[in-house]
Structures are given as C-alpha cells and as structure tokens.
Amino acid sequence: MGLTSETTVYVMAAVAVVCVALLVWVWPRLAKPTVRQVLGRLTAIGVTQVTIIAAFACWLNSSYQFFGSWDELFGNTDTAPVGVTQAADHNGDGATGVSVKGALVQPASDEQLNRVSGLPTGNPAVNGKVESVKVIGRRTGVVDPAFVYLPPQYFQKAYARQRFPVVVALSGYPGSIFNLAQYLRVSQTAGQLQRSGQMQPTIMVMIRPTIAPPRDTECVNVPGGPQTETFLAKDLPQALKSAYRVGHDASAWGVMGYSSGGTCALQLTMRNPHVYTTAAALSPDYRIKDDPTTGNLFGSGLGRVNRVNGHDLMWRLKHLPAPQVSVLVAESKHGERGYPQTLAFIKAVKAPMRVVSILPDSGSHNFPTWVREMPGALKWMNQQLTFPQDVVPRHLPAKKKGHSTVRAEGTEPTPTARTRK
C-alpha cells in the first residue's frame, strides 16, 4: 500500500476503530487498582491514542502530500543523478514526453494522478495529456513531484517544432499537486479555455513549493537551509526546458498560485523578472515573516534585515526600481482579511510594472473562491504571455512531449482597481 493511497487511510482508520472498541471491551477487566492493571489501562489508552493519531496523520498526508512515499517518510530520499541532462528522441506518437534516467525531469508514479477527476483521456493530439513527473534540481538537489498538462497542439504535426508558453501553478501550504489538479482544477480549466479559443495553447506545470516538508519555506532561500527560490527560479525552468518544447524567453513564462502559493508567485516574479514576467496571485500576502511553520527563514547577523526587506513587496515597491512585469492580485472584499493590504499593494505599484485585480464582493480563503477566480486569471495571463517565435532547430530532434479589473466568473468589475502603465 502506498503511503498516500486511500487504502492506507481506510486501513489505518479501521485499525483505530478496532482499538477503540477493544479499549471499551477490556476496560472493565482492568478496573482493579493493582499495579498490573493500572499499567494495562495506560497501555490500552496509549495504543488507542497512537492509532487514532496515525490514522489522522495518514489522512492529512494523503490530502496534502507532505511525504509522497514510505521511503521519503523514513528518510530514504531520491538520489537520482542531477549533473547530466539528456533529452529523449520523440517521434510524435503520443508517448511520454519526459526524458530518460539521468535527466532533470523523470516519469513518476501515477497514483496521485489516477485520483484526479476530469483529466483528458484518449488521443493526446485531440484531448491533450497530463503527465506525472518528478523534477530534479541540478543546483539544489531537490526532487519535487509535478503534474504537467500538455495541450493537444503539443502532439500535432503542425506544431512539431513549435515551443509553447508555460504557466507554473503553485500550491499553498499545506498543499500538494493533487490539490492543484483536483480542487483548483488547473489543467481542466486551462483545457476548457483553450478548447473554446479563450486561451492560447499553453503548458501548465503544477508543483508544490514545499520542498522540505513539513516546513513552510515560503519560496525563500533559507540561509543554511532549503533553497526554494533557487529551485523555482533556476532549477525548475532549466529542467522544463530540457524535457519539453517550452519558450526560452521570459516573456513566455508565468507563475500563479493560491494563498502562500500566490505569495510565492508575486515574490518570484518581482524578484526574478528575467525568469517570470507574469504572475497571478489568489489571496496572497505581500510580505514574508517567520512563524511556527516556517522557522527562521532569514537567518541572523547583519544580513537579516536586508533579507527580510527583500521579501517585503511593499518595501521593494517603495525603495527599489519597479520591475517590468505584469501581476494580477485577487482578494474578496468581504470574507478575506487581506483586502486592505491588496488595495495598498495596487496603489503602490508604479511603472513599468503593471497590476490588475479580481475583487469579488464576497468569498473566503478556500477553493470555491479560487475556482471562481481561475478562469479570469488564466485568460488575463494568456493575454500577457507571448507565444514563442523560436522553434526547435531542424537539425535537432523535436521533443514531442517530453488599473483595469479582470472579471472573475460570477463577479463584476471593480472600478477602484486600475491598470498602471
């Protein structure tokens, strides 16, 4: 049984129920005040509590993917080589688009993918395809799971040498790629918009920024710790470019996310405009600070203040030149706490940076709200990203697989938000 499988969750829940029943059954037999029976009562209570906690932990891990396998749980991490990038030769037959062993993108188990509803099936040249892969960071050594949606055009002969724009979708904390696929409906929404002509063919990459679970690193390069920003701003683009026909210019790259994933999207774009030129942030924060889930993100000593300020987007807008990027921020007027901060951020943005917003009248910090905002966010991102003009050279094998306001579904435009040019 896989660590994240439903079978494991059900088995652990059944064991917990049995232990509770046994505790009730044996309790009268352990009622005497002898040392032996007191120890028996303590043991029975302890075993029951452990099984209940274990069942809850399995359910929580299955939902949020802190650990993807038993090996990862017990510290047997993936040691796949990261120094060599090899690209497979693809023949346009719809086979897997990821590279062979030793590459920076490798096939992964479909266990999580098989639990997602509404994914494309059948001929990928007609319906597209979602792949389950693991991305290996050449610089950081990180191995992170991902789902990659490839549009139908990716498999069609007319596009055999064409590169495609990319949108990287980041989960919140705690979160997983399963949440992005099943609850946020990233690939399903993008596929529907592309089929209806409201979005150009785009590769969607769903990945979690929690590279050192269960710690929340908030997309920061922690001094002496996880290098999350380097992984997402350098390793991930390099890996994707080695395995898929994606644009090589930053104008073809965007990043989006919800909650802390939205915070990461803004941070990555404003701090790395040469990598990502477009961001969509659903219910983000505008500064990063330490809390019990993050630990000490910025280290100590003289450099701490600079590191803290560098991840405070309001400070950056006030003290540093604005980057030439476009961002979308979404926050509900009623039901979410970040609305005042979002308005302050919108007001602080200055040229050449541009900002638009989705500001529903009501909503909560949850998936139903973000799902409403997704179509508007993706359609806006589609307008910002350029369809790459560069193509795969003929002498190389084609890698065939391998303030204005944006209106959310069911919401009305907000006159207070304006595009800054």
Side-chain angles (χ1 to χ4, degrees), residues 370-393:
W370 300 324
V371 167
R372 291 175 60 216
E373 297 166 345
M374 272 288 291
L378 285 177
K379 285 189 284 188
W380 174 82
M381 294 189 79
N382 167 76
Q383 297 168 0
Q384 314 310 310
L385 299 177
T386 61
F387 203 97
Q389 299 300 311
D390 55 326
V391 297
V392 178

Side-chain angles (χ1 to χ4, degrees), residues 228-406:
T228 312
E229 183 175 17
T230 295
F231 175 74
L232 293 171
K234 294 183 179 180
D235 284 345
L236 178 61
Q238 180 188 31
L240 294 174
K241 290 173 183 177
S242 75
Y244 297 100
R245 299 197 317 275
V246 297
H248 285 195
D249 189 81
S251 63
W253 285 72
V255 57
M256 69 179 304
Y258 65 88
S259 191
S260 62
T263 304
C264 286
L266 290 178
Q267 294 275 341
L268 287 169
T269 303
M270 292 181 63
R271 291 173 55 85
N272 302 275
H274 58 289
V275 179
Y276 300 104
T277 57
T278 302
L282 313 181
S283 305
D285 291 322
Y286 301 96
R287 63 185 296 251
I288 293 175
K289 54 186 178 181
D290 293 342
D291 64 33
T293 66
T294 67
N296 184 356
L297 292 175
F298 303 107
S300 58
L302 298 177
R304 175 178 171 83
V305 172
N306 290 336
R307 289 190 288 269
V308 170
N309 288 338
H311 288 279
D312 183 336
L313 300 186
M314 298 299 291
W315 185 92
R316 295 183 69 90
L317 288 172
K318 183 177 181 180
H319 295 93
L320 300 177
Q324 190 168 347
V325 296
S326 299
V327 301
L328 177 149
V329 290
E331 194 85 25
S332 300
K333 298 178 183 177
H334 304 287
E336 293 192 88
R337 295 179 298 177
Y339 184 69
Q341 290 77 19
T342 295
L343 292 184
F345 177 81
I346 292 170
K347 185 177 180 180
V349 170
K350 54 191 176 183
M353 184 174 171
R354 296 185 300 155
V355 61
V356 299
S357 63
I358 296 176
L359 303 174
D361 287 333
S362 62
S364 300
H365 198 81
N366 57 25
F367 284 108
T369 297
W370 300 324
V371 167
R372 291 175 60 216
E373 297 166 345
M374 272 288 291
L378 285 177
K379 285 189 284 188
W380 174 82
M381 294 189 79
N382 167 76
Q383 297 168 0
Q384 314 310 310
L385 299 177
T386 61
F387 203 97
Q389 299 300 311
D390 55 326
V391 297
V392 178
R394 291 187 181 277
H395 63 279
L396 294 179
K399 296 176 184 175
K400 262 297 193 190
K401 179 78 218 167
H403 275 277
S404 70
T405 299
V406 178

Side-chain angles (χ1 to χ4, degrees), residues 1 52 78 109 123 128 134 145 152 154 200 207 247 302 340 352 382 384:
M1 295 183 295
I52 292 173
D78 198 318
S109 169
N123 186 353
K134 54 184 177 182
Y154 194 87
Q200 62 188 338
I207 197 165
L302 298 177
N382 167 76
Q384 314 310 310

Side-chain angles (χ1 to χ4, degrees), residues 98 104-105 113 129-136 144-151 154 164-171 176-181 184-188 190-191 194 199 201-209 231-232 235-247 252-258 261 265 268 276 374 378 381 385 401-402:
V98 298
L104 302 182
V105 177
L113 199 60
K129 185 178 182 180
V130 178
E131 297 185 337
S132 177
V133 302
K134 54 184 177 182
V135 178
I136 301 168
D144 209 20
F147 293 153
V148 179
Y149 166 76
L150 301 170
Y154 194 87
F164 290 79
V166 182
V167 172
V168 175
L170 302 174
S171 64
S176 68
I177 56 177
F178 179 78
N179 289 353
L180 290 165
L184 196 60
R185 316 295 286 177
V186 170
S187 57
Q188 297 90 324
Q194 292 175 34
M199 184 177 177
T202 302
I203 293 175
M204 308 294 298
V205 180
M206 293 159 273
I207 197 165
R208 62 179 188 180
F231 175 74
L232 293 171
D235 284 345
L236 178 61
Q238 180 188 31
L240 294 174
K241 290 173 183 177
S242 75
Y244 297 100
R245 299 197 317 275
V246 297
W253 285 72
V255 57
M256 69 179 304
Y258 65 88
L268 287 169
Y276 300 104
M374 272 288 291
L378 285 177
M381 294 189 79
L385 299 177
K401 179 78 218 167

